[in-house]
Amino acid sequence: MGTWDIGPFDNDTAADFSYRVDESPAEKKAEVLRASFREVIETGEEYLDADLAVEAIASAALVAAQCPGGEPVTTSYGPKNPLPDLPPELRPEAVAALDRILAEPSELLELWEESDGEEWKTGVRNLRAVLTTT
């Protein structure tokens, strides 16, 4: 995985995921995001692959961008096309996915703990906080 910073779209996997979001019809975009959350959540206590985690974090950033206090996704590596209004039901799924990513065994967590782990974890926790704000 090529990673150049700690943001949700600052890696090759998330940039590729953005393309998949863009290519989905407007009425299917929420389901693309939901699928990324479910793949992470369904790992349970099994080892969580970094690529699945990265896609879920990118999805969470897209959902959070539509929440009060959420930051818009403005990076050139994010989706190029605007997303329709996303259903609020995605928020708890995003939170559950982020919680799973921050729990062992998680490849992405392990990789970040080898470098800027605390700064990255703070970013993920900030995303989570936006998603839980009503």
Side-chain angles (χ1 to χ4, degrees), residues 59-113:
S59 294
L62 294 171
V63 174
Q66 293 187 4
C67 293
E71 294 185 24
V73 174
T74 58
T75 177
S76 61
Y77 299 103
K80 309 290 183 248
N81 303 320
L83 271 67
D85 288 340
L86 298 170
E89 298 81 40
L90 286 177
R91 294 176 191 176
E93 291 182 76
V95 168
L98 295 177
D99 288 345
R100 174 60 191 90
I101 291 164
L102 291 174
E104 293 289 345
S106 169
E107 181 182 21
L108 190 61
L109 177 63
E110 291 172 10
L111 291 170
W112 277 110
E113 286 182 338

Side-chain angles (χ1 to χ4, degrees), residues 8-71:
F9 289 94
D10 293 340
N11 60 76
D12 291 333
T13 302
D16 291 345
F17 178 73
S18 295
Y19 179 75
R20 196 167 57 210
V21 172
D22 275 335
E23 292 300 305
S24 300
E27 66 276 6
K28 299 284 187 186
K29 290 187 190 299
E31 191 51 43
V32 170
L33 306 182
R34 179 176 282 117
S36 73
F37 301 142
R38 288 189 178 157
E39 283 185 287
V40 166
I41 295 164
E42 289 173 0
T43 63
E45 293 182 18
E46 295 175 19
Y47 192 73
L48 175 59
D49 181 77
D51 287 345
L52 294 178
V54 163
E55 289 181 2
I57 291 171
S59 294
L62 294 171
V63 174
Q66 293 187 4
C67 293
E71 294 185 24

